[in-house]
Amino acid sequence: MDVAGEEKSAMACPCCQPGDLSGQNFAGIGRNQAPLYDEEILEEDSSSADEQITCLSLEVAQQQAQCEDLFRQVLKCLGEDTRREGILKTPSRYRKALAQMLSGYAKTAQNVLGDAIFNEETLAGNRQTVCVGNIEFYSTDAHTLMPFFGEVHICYLPDEGKVAGLSKFARITEVFSKRLQTPKNLARDIASSIETLVSPVGVLVVIKCVYLNNAICAMHKSGSGIPGDDVVMTEVEQRGLFLDQKCKETREMLGLIGEITQ
């Protein structure tokens, strides 16, 4: 093997002129040659990301402090001593509780449903209604900020067997209930999301709920300590085929829900 000939050939090659890395020994990269990545650039990028995280953390902390200050002012206006034991940390506790009660704003129905949509062959071509009942919920009234709670009953008529996982309806309910709501708007939001995501022939949402302040007033009036049926509110939202009150499916589902909630 002519080593000298190979060296001459390499020197004569125009692509191996000084400044061109293609003719150099690759084993030397990392020792004598420049590194593949500029460490200074990486340090700058890392520093920039850290600064963004720090700024975001500071912004969140400032928002939390502002909320707690507002709650503290409310307590003062009510005549409470915000420095006394037992009340000192109440603004912080209430902020955390409120964040949990209104956590639905950080979620969407589409995200919680994901890809849990299936084609059920046994339902294709048949007018069979899917009903998911007794979904418990707790929400916050948009008008008074007082709690209201109860149960949601969801019925829908699949189009060509297109159905969603049963457990997903409870999660969809939670997304919308953990926002500032009214029973009417809650029923509308649930029905609209199912109509958009599952595309059924019809949707029926029935909400039966109790406002906490109404229940308290009723208990004071009755003196029994137990609220009566007169404080239970019912909200019905109908879409598609279920808008027809004379429709067989509408009558059957409303009758079934009535029996369940008796």
Side-chain angles (χ1 to χ4, degrees), residues 190-250:
I190 295 172
S192 294
S193 65
I194 296 172
E195 196 173 38
T196 301
L197 299 173
V198 187
S199 303
V201 176
V203 181
L204 173 66
V205 177
V206 178
I207 291 179
K208 287 185 174 290
C209 62
V210 174
Y211 275 90
L212 181 60
N213 52 336
N214 291 347
I216 294 173
C217 291
M219 286 189 293
H220 282 308
K221 289 180 180 179
S222 65
S224 64
I226 301 175
D229 293 337
D230 56 329
V231 299
V232 178
M233 297 180 60
T234 302
E235 191 64 46
V236 180
E237 183 67 20
Q238 297 162 275
R239 304 286 177 89
L241 184 70
F242 288 113
L243 284 170
D244 184 1
Q245 300 296 331
K246 297 181 180 179
C247 175
K248 173 187 173 184
E249 285 79 8
T250 304

Side-chain angles (χ1 to χ4, degrees), residues 23-38:
Q24 296 186 16
N25 186 0
F26 288 102
I29 294 180
R31 295 200 301 267
N32 299 326
Q33 305 302 326
L36 291 176
Y37 302 100
D38 194 325

Side-chain angles (χ1 to χ4, degrees), residues 57-106:
S57 299
L58 288 173
E59 184 179 355
V60 171
Q62 289 174 353
Q63 291 176 348
Q64 292 177 349
Q66 288 175 354
C67 287
E68 292 176 17
D69 286 340
L70 291 172
F71 298 149
R72 194 171 290 108
Q73 290 300 319
V74 171
L75 289 173
K76 287 180 179 179
C77 290
L78 294 173
E80 184 58 70
D81 180 7
T82 58
R83 295 171 297 180
R84 75 176 178 85
E85 187 179 357
I87 296 294
L88 189 62
K89 294 183 179 181
T90 296
S92 176
R93 296 190 192 102
Y94 185 67
R95 173 187 59 77
K96 294 175 182 178
L98 198 61
Q100 177 63 28
M101 290 161 59
L102 303 179
S103 60
Y105 287 111

Side-chain angles (χ1 to χ4, degrees), residues 155-221:
C155 303
Y156 71 99
L157 190 61
D159 183 19
E160 295 301 323
K162 185 178 179 181
V163 297
L166 294 179
S167 65
K168 299 299 182 180
F169 293 98
R171 295 190 180 185
I172 290 174
T173 299
E174 184 180 29
V175 167
F176 293 111
S177 64
K178 289 198 171 183
R179 300 180 182 184
L180 293 178
Q181 285 286 10
T182 63
K184 178 182 280 295
N185 287 338
L186 179 57
R188 286 178 177 175
D189 286 342
I190 295 172
S192 294
S193 65
I194 296 172
E195 196 173 38
T196 301
L197 299 173
V198 187
S199 303
V201 176
V203 181
L204 173 66
V205 177
V206 178
I207 291 179
K208 287 185 174 290
C209 62
V210 174
Y211 275 90
L212 181 60
N213 52 336
N214 291 347
I216 294 173
C217 291
M219 286 189 293
H220 282 308
K221 289 180 180 179

Side-chain angles (χ1 to χ4, degrees), residues 18-67:
D20 195 314
L21 296 178
S22 59
Q24 296 186 16
N25 186 0
F26 288 102
I29 294 180
R31 295 200 301 267
N32 299 326
Q33 305 302 326
L36 291 176
Y37 302 100
D38 194 325
E39 293 180 0
E40 293 183 0
I41 294 176
L42 287 176
E43 288 179 359
E44 290 178 0
D45 291 343
S46 176
S47 176
S48 177
D50 290 342
E51 289 177 359
Q52 291 178 358
I53 293 173
T54 301
C55 290
L56 184 60
S57 299
L58 288 173
E59 184 179 355
V60 171
Q62 289 174 353
Q63 291 176 348
Q64 292 177 349
Q66 288 175 354
C67 287

